[in-house]
């Protein structure tokens, strides 16, 4: 009889234990399903992010997935397809041969409801990665927020409007007028002033590069069609970076970004290997389609800066002011019109300042320095240069002062950031397109981060949903 009681007791106990064991097994399978979905999602997302454009990273230290995948139609649908491929492989292909799949998991759906492209929100993703990169470099750590040469220029008179002053002087000379004499035909004609400043005015509109360089054959003539580059075409857009991502770092400001460009791009006498345009910084500043035009435009700006600073110095140099006055008096004495002496003196000084500015540009292009504020010792031309201005321009090795790159960096700082940013990404597109498989590369098809919504199913009826936001950002 006792054996019968024991059998009933064991039957009741085993039923409870079996229910418990089966519940635990099913719970383990549910948790395993969830864990497998999470692991497959993380591996697949990282696989997508590992396919960043290698040329963009190697040349510019920027991590972005090129959604065209080297020439495809591109867009977020291409990324979704890649992600779905990796998820399928990680879910369906994970069971070893001769083994039973206890989970029987399948991909049900995958969606990318949000994503951030390189060009969204004024290229915020690019600027954030630039800030991250510059934080790792000595240049980035040394940026103080104020450029010393820019500050020095501000006090040099570089922004003096010499053009307006020339027009004013020209008006004064015209209002006084030149004396006239009767010629052999009985007609009145003006007595020529023979002002050497007119020689300088005659070359003012000529090409600067041709005047300051003995041989222009080495100047790059590379030309590109700008209509297909970022700053000249309509862009696709994403959703921008998330608030979560925005809270993890900062965006590079203009000064940091300009320093980054000097670290990554080439310019005259400091060329970058493998670039389309030789003078990339000059393009970012001026935006013309050819190297020659960009270098010429930069030199014209330099001539305006140097002419203003040089004229400001001449006005403080009593000796050279006296030379200009003596020449003006001799010229006006010949035509017996002393009232012209004062405006002619200023015309001479303005012309002299311009020729000195051409001399400065010659020195800068030779790789030597030109001080922002001239002194008696650092002034190079004499007043006779006005009679033959081009022949007066020559090289002066070992000059003290700021060099071409320093002036160029200051010019970049003074250029509107709204122009610098898109043109800098033009340069990125130009250079990456030169590499194998990247002939149609576009920055607005580059993805930095995305939000994914993945749903998996299983043979035992339990589904799992994984929502992840991932990308190239750093805590």
């Amino acid at each position: 009889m006792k054996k019968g009681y024991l059998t009933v007791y064991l039957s009741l106990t085993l039923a409870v234990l079996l229910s418990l064991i089966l519940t635990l097994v099913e719970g383990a399978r549910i948790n395993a399903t969830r864990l497998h979905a999470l692991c497959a999602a993380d591996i697949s997302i990282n696989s997508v992010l590992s396919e960043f454009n290698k040329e963009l990273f190697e040349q510019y230290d920027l991590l972005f997935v090129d959604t065209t995948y080297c020439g495809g139609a591109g867009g977020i649908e291409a990324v979704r397809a890649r992600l779905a491929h990796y998820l399928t492989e990680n879910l369906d292909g994970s069971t070893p041969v001769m083994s039973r799949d206890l989970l029987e998991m399948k991909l049900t759906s995958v969606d990318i409801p949000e994503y951030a492209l390189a060009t969204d929100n004024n290229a915020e993703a690019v600027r954030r990665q630039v800030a991250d990169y510059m934080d790792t470099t000595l240049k980035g750590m040394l940026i103080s927020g104020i450029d010393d040469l820019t500050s020095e220029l501000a006090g040099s008179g570089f922004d003096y409007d010499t053009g307006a002053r020339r027009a004013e002087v020209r008006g004064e000379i015209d209002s006084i007028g030149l004396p006239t004499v009767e010629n052999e035909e009985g007609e009145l004609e003006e007595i020529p002033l023979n002002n050497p400043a007119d020689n300088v005015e005659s070359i003012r509109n000529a090409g600067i590069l041709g005047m300051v360089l003995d041989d222009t054959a080495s100047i790059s003539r590379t030309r590109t069609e700008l209509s297909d580059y970022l700053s000249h075409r309509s862009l696709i857009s994403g959703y921008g970076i998330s608030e979560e991502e925005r809270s993890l770092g900062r965006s590079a400001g203009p000064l940091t970004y300009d320093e980054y460009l000097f670290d990554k791009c080439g310019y005259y006498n400091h060329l970058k290997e493998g670039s389309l345009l030789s003078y990339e910084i000059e393009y970012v500043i001026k935006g013309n389609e050819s190297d020659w035009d960009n270098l010429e435009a930069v030199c014209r700006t330099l001539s305006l800066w140097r002419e203003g600073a040089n004229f400001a110095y001449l006005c403080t140099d009593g000796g050279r002011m006296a030379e200009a006055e003596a020449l003006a008096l001799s010229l006006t004495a010949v035509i017996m019109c002393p009232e012209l002496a004062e405006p002619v003196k200023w015309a001479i000084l303005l012309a002299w300042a311009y020729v000195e500015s051409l001399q400065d540009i010659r020195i800068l292009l030779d790789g030597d320095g030109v001080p922002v504020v001239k002194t008696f010792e650092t002034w190079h031309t004499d007043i006779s240069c006005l009679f033959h201005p081009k022949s007066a321009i020559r090289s002066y090795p070992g000059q003290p002062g700021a060099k071409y790159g320093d002036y160029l960096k200051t010019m970049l700082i003074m250029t509107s950031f709204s122009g610098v940013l898109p043109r800098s990404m033009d340069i990125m597109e130009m250079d990456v397109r030169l590499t194998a498989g990247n002939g149609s590369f576009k920055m607005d098809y580059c993805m930095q981060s995305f939000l994914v919504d993945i749903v998996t199913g299983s043979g035992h009826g339990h589904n799992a949903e994984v929502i992840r936001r991932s990308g190239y950002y750093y805590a």
Side-chain angles (χ1 to χ4, degrees):
M1 188 61 104
K2 291 182 179 180
K3 292 183 179 180
Y5 284 126
L6 182 60
T7 302
V8 172
Y9 174 77
L10 286 175
S11 298
L12 294 174
T13 304
L14 287 174
V16 174
L17 289 174
L18 185 59
S19 298
L20 176 60
I21 291 170
L22 292 176
T23 299
L24 292 175
V25 169
E26 186 64 12
R29 185 156 66 168
I30 293 172
N31 287 333
T33 300
R34 175 66 178 170
L35 180 60
H36 192 186
L38 288 171
C39 291
D42 287 340
I43 293 171
S44 301
I45 289 170
N46 288 334
S47 296
V48 169
L49 294 176
S50 71
E51 295 179 321
F52 57 86
N53 187 283
K54 292 180 175 58
E55 291 296 336
L56 184 63
F57 177 71
E58 289 178 3
Q59 295 190 45
Y60 294 98
D61 282 280
L62 298 177
L63 285 166
F64 288 97
V65 173
D66 179 5
T67 64
T68 68
Y69 291 97
C70 297
I76 201 62
E77 181 56 31
V79 179
R80 195 203 68 79
R82 295 293 290 175
L83 181 59
H85 166 73
Y86 287 123
L87 285 166
T88 300
E89 290 297 315
N90 285 310
L91 290 170
D92 298 347
S94 59
T95 304
V97 179
M98 304 298 292
S99 299
R100 180 183 176 187
D101 185 359
L102 297 176
L103 300 179
E104 299 178 359
M105 294 185 65
K106 301 288 184 182
L107 177 63
T108 301
S109 66
V110 56
D111 189 25
I112 303 178
E114 296 179 16
Y115 54 93
L117 300 178
T119 51
D120 289 343
N121 299 336
N122 200 26
E124 184 178 8
V126 172
R127 291 184 287 119
R128 290 174 65 81
Q129 290 200 29
V130 167
D132 288 338
Y133 168 75
M134 292 302 290
D135 284 343
T136 68
T137 67
L138 181 60
K139 288 181 179 180
M141 290 186 287
L142 292 178
I143 291 175
S144 63
I146 299 177
D147 182 79
D148 293 337
L149 182 57
T150 306
S151 301
E152 192 176 0
L153 272 171
S156 70
F158 84 104
D159 55 350
Y160 183 85
D161 192 347
T162 53
R165 185 72 176 106
R166 285 197 309 274
E168 181 183 343
V169 169
R170 183 77 260 171
E172 291 177 13
I173 293 175
D174 291 342
S175 65
I176 295 173
L178 297 174
T180 59
V181 295
E182 186 175 326
N183 60 23
E184 295 178 354
E185 286 76 22
E187 299 174 344
L188 292 178
E189 62 179 21
E190 290 183 338
I191 302 175
L193 179 60
N194 294 322
N195 184 357
D198 294 337
N199 297 331
V200 176
E201 289 304 307
S202 67
I203 67 169
R204 191 176 283 276
N205 293 324
I208 290 181
L209 293 176
M211 287 190 290
V212 301
L213 297 177
D214 295 329
D215 182 12
T216 60
S218 62
I219 302 298
S220 169
R221 266 77 169 179
T222 301
R223 180 178 296 272
T224 186
E225 178 57 54
L226 296 180
S227 60
D228 192 39
Y229 291 103
L230 182 145
S231 65
H232 289 74
R233 68 168 189 267
S234 298
L235 306 179
I236 66 170
S237 59
Y239 292 80
I241 67 172
S242 65
E243 289 302 320
E244 174 190 352
E245 185 175 353
R246 188 171 287 116
S247 68
L248 296 176
R250 62 182 179 83
S251 296
L255 189 64
T256 301
Y257 194 86
D258 291 346
E259 194 69 44
Y260 165 79
L261 291 180
F262 262 83
D263 188 55
K264 296 298 182 182
C265 299
Y267 52 92
Y268 183 79
N269 278 341
H270 192 278
L271 305 184
K272 172 188 170 183
E273 185 177 351
S275 62
L276 177 62
L277 294 178
S278 296
Y279 314 139
E280 295 181 320
I281 297 294
E282 288 86 343
Y283 169 78
V284 172
I285 294 171
K286 296 300 182 181
N288 296 314
E289 63 184 11
S290 76
D291 276 329
W292 178 283
D293 290 344
N294 287 314
L295 185 59
E296 174 76 21
V298 163
C299 287
R300 286 200 174 277
T301 298
L302 284 174
S303 74
L304 291 174
W305 287 7
R306 293 306 317 153
E307 184 180 4
N310 290 337
F311 181 71
Y313 165 72
L314 279 177
C315 292
T316 66
D317 187 326
R320 290 188 171 94
M321 288 276 286
E323 289 183 59
E325 185 173 12
L327 179 57
L329 286 171
S330 65
L331 292 172
T332 54
V334 170
I335 63 172
M336 294 178 292
C337 190
E339 60 269 30
L340 281 175
E342 186 64 14
V344 169
K345 178 189 76 172
W346 289 111
I348 290 170
L349 289 170
L350 287 163
W352 197 355
Y354 179 68
V355 175
E356 180 74 7
S357 75
L358 296 180
Q359 175 64 74
D360 292 341
I361 294 172
R362 168 64 179 263
I363 293 171
L364 291 172
L365 295 182
D366 282 346
D368 291 307
V370 172
V372 174
V373 179
K374 290 292 183 72
T375 64
F376 182 84
E377 291 76 17
T378 56
W379 189 273
H380 299 291
T381 57
D382 55 45
I383 201 166
S384 64
C385 73
L386 303 182
F387 295 94
H388 303 285
K390 185 174 180 179
S391 62
I393 299 169
R394 58 181 65 88
S395 298
Y396 285 90
Q399 296 299 302
K403 297 188 176 182
Y404 176 76
D406 301 318
Y407 280 96
L408 197 63
K409 185 179 295 185
T410 299
M411 197 178 299
L412 184 63
I413 291 171
M414 292 183 175
T415 303
S416 170
F417 194 53
S418 62
V420 167
L421 192 58
R423 288 196 293 267
S424 69
M425 288 188 285
D426 287 351
I427 292 295
M428 295 174 190
E429 291 185 345
M430 292 177 192
D431 292 352
V432 173
R433 287 182 189 182
L434 292 179
T435 60
N438 289 295
S440 59
F441 174 79
K442 296 179 180 180
M443 286 296 293
D444 54 323
Y445 280 77
C446 290
M447 183 191 75
Q448 170 173 280
S449 56
F450 55 1
L451 176 69
V452 299
D453 186 352
I454 301 165
V455 179
T456 62
S458 66
H460 52 88
H462 295 289
N463 298 334
E465 183 178 21
V466 179
I467 298 176
R468 280 278 194 275
R469 189 182 297 277
S470 299
Y472 307 111
Y473 50 90
Y474 311 96

